[in-house]
Amino acid sequence: MKNSIAIYGAYGHTGKFIVAELSRKGYQLILTGRDEEKLQQLKKQYPNSTIKAADISDAASLDNAFSGSEIIINCAGPFLDTAEPIIESALRLGIHYIDLSAEQKAVLDVFENYAEKAKGKILIIPAVAFYGGLGDLLSTAVTHDWDKIDEINIYIGLDSWYPTKGTRLTGDRNHYTRLTLKNNQLQELEPSVPIDWNFQNPIGIKQVVSLPLSEIITISRHLNVNTINTYLSQNSLDDLRNKDTPEPEAIDEKNRSSQHFSLEVVAVKDNLKRTITAQGQDIYAVTSPLVVETVNRILSDKKAKTGVTVIGDFFDAADFLKSLNEDDITISALEESHL
């Protein structure tokens, strides 16, 4: 058995994908969260795991749950509520921390409140997920030899969106102003006109609207870029906002839904344009290989750094993307052209 990993919110929709992949890789699992009954049910699938109920309002229960682990993976949103108490526990115990936050405010708060506290103690990496982490990795890989970038545009196309309960809870909780990057500064998002974008097969042409998420924060933390925009397909937002849209339903052996995605990054410097695309099935499921590869690399680094960082800055982005299984995510070759 490999190192012990604590997964908070292990029985949640995305948490289950991460637990399954960590188990397949041979890690020793500590399954934790607020609901003892759900933990007991999950343990039936992973009899060699340890379960420890813990609540974010009870610091002692968190410390007890995470004690003995090498890394804590926080899968329980809204991260505006869960990140701080779990990071505080990680600091007390000297354990590295990862989360899946798409919430800009949550990521900003982690940098503001823990950048100094974590130095020399633990590693903290927020937003290791489809929203946030994947766009960061692609943007970093496509601009790897550029010291200055004029613009990064991220286009996210979904053929549908079956939101989980956690996604809906986060949407209800996250009432903060959305930020974008303009003139190398975070600024309030201004109203914009929808545009059409061709995502190619299997997504096709979709109307997209400006909707910045945590990748604005992660990318701007380490790339010298003037402007960052994120666009999300309008049809997926319509699904999200429709209260009658069902939750994801598994259709294959990996328990993925039928949803397909395409995330395209277009970077511009002077008269050059570079493009790279990631495609795959199920935005919740694809978070799992991103998290597990992050765990693998942290634990294999004998000189692990400390402090707050982001996935695109901490790792070799191109190498990280190449290591991912094509059944989980397909990365296109970098394309370059003149404007």
Side-chain angles (χ1 to χ4, degrees):
M1 298 293 289
K2 293 187 179 180
N3 307 70
S4 181
I5 309 297
I7 307 97
Y8 191 81
Y11 46 73
H13 186 79
T14 306
K16 287 180 179 178
F17 285 115
I18 293 169
V19 168
E21 183 66 10
L22 287 170
S23 177
R24 193 177 72 81
K25 294 288 187 181
Y27 285 103
Q28 183 177 343
L29 305 181
I30 299 174
L31 310 179
T32 180
R34 289 166 281 213
D35 195 316
E36 173 80 29
E37 184 176 342
K38 289 181 180 179
L39 290 171
Q40 292 286 359
Q41 289 296 319
L42 189 59
K43 183 175 171 61
K44 292 178 182 178
Q45 299 177 51
Y46 306 98
N48 293 326
S49 65
T50 301
I51 62 169
K52 295 181 181 181
D55 193 285
I56 57 170
S57 63
D58 184 345
S61 73
L62 291 175
D63 290 356
N64 177 65
F66 303 142
S67 179
S69 64
E70 296 285 335
I71 298 173
I72 301 165
I73 304 170
N74 179 10
C75 303
F79 297 95
L80 287 161
D81 299 323
T82 64
E84 182 175 342
I86 295 177
I87 290 173
E88 290 289 347
S89 179
L91 282 166
R92 288 192 294 271
L93 298 170
I95 298 170
H96 301 316
Y97 169 93
I98 296 169
D99 73 31
L100 321 179
S101 180
E103 302 140 83
Q104 293 184 323
K105 180 67 163 56
V107 177
L108 280 169
D109 285 350
V110 168
F111 273 98
E112 182 177 342
N113 298 331
Y114 296 104
E116 291 301 319
K117 290 182 181 178
K119 285 182 180 178
K121 296 180 180 179
I122 65 171
L123 178 65
I124 297 174
I125 311 181
V128 182
F130 175 80
Y131 293 117
L134 182 55
D136 187 2
L137 285 167
L138 291 167
S139 298
T140 307
V142 81
T143 62
H144 65 97
D145 58 345
W146 288 357
D147 58 354
K148 186 177 180 181
I149 307 152
D150 295 331
E151 189 171 349
I152 292 175
N153 291 314
I154 300 171
Y155 301 90
I156 303 171
L158 312 179
D159 61 0
S160 59
W161 192 347
Y162 307 107
T164 64
K165 290 178 182 177
T167 295
R168 293 195 183 279
L169 283 171
T170 297
D172 293 340
R173 172 72 175 85
N174 186 19
H175 52 79
Y176 294 94
T177 300
R178 293 191 182 275
L179 303 173
T180 190
L181 192 78
K182 187 176 181 180
N183 297 323
N184 207 240
Q185 292 184 337
L186 292 173
Q187 300 184 21
E188 182 176 339
L189 177 66
E190 298 176 353
S192 61
V193 178
I195 61 173
D196 288 337
W197 189 258
N198 188 355
F199 289 98
Q200 307 299 327
N201 290 328
I203 307 298
I205 298 174
K206 297 290 185 186
Q207 187 178 77
V208 297
V209 293
S210 185
L211 191 78
L213 295 156
S214 58
E215 72 288 327
I216 302 293
I217 312 304
T218 63
I219 295 168
S220 64
R221 281 281 159 176
H222 67 101
L223 293 184
N224 183 14
V225 55
N226 183 76
T227 301
I228 309 174
N229 299 300
T230 301
Y231 301 92
L232 182 63
S233 58
Q234 180 66 57
N235 68 296
S236 57
L237 275 178
D238 293 341
D239 288 342
L240 177 63
R241 291 165 179 167
N242 183 353
K243 296 185 183 300
D244 295 326
T245 303
E247 293 183 47
E249 182 178 337
I251 65 161
D252 65 13
E253 70 284 350
K254 288 188 174 183
N255 293 318
R256 295 178 294 191
S257 73
S258 60
Q259 178 198 60
H260 284 83
F261 66 82
S262 180
L263 196 160
E264 185 170 344
V265 172
V266 180
V268 175
K269 178 187 178 184
D270 299 327
N271 67 334
L272 282 180
K273 180 179 78 172
R274 288 180 179 174
T275 303
I276 191 169
T277 303
Q279 292 188 325
Q281 181 180 338
D282 195 324
I283 61 173
Y284 299 107
V286 80
T287 291
S288 175
L290 296 174
V291 169
V292 174
E293 183 60 21
T294 298
V295 168
N296 292 341
R297 290 178 180 239
I298 291 173
L299 294 178
S300 64
D301 185 357
K302 302 304 181 183
K303 299 179 181 179
K305 298 177 184 177
T306 59
V308 180
T309 187
V310 293
I311 190 171
D313 190 30
F314 190 66
F315 303 111
D316 179 324
D319 184 68
F320 191 109
L321 291 168
K322 286 178 183 177
S323 72
L324 300 173
N325 190 314
E326 286 194 0
D327 185 53
D328 294 319
I329 186 167
T330 302
I331 310 296
S332 72
L334 185 155
E335 296 181 5
E336 183 175 279
S337 61
H338 290 277
L339 294 174

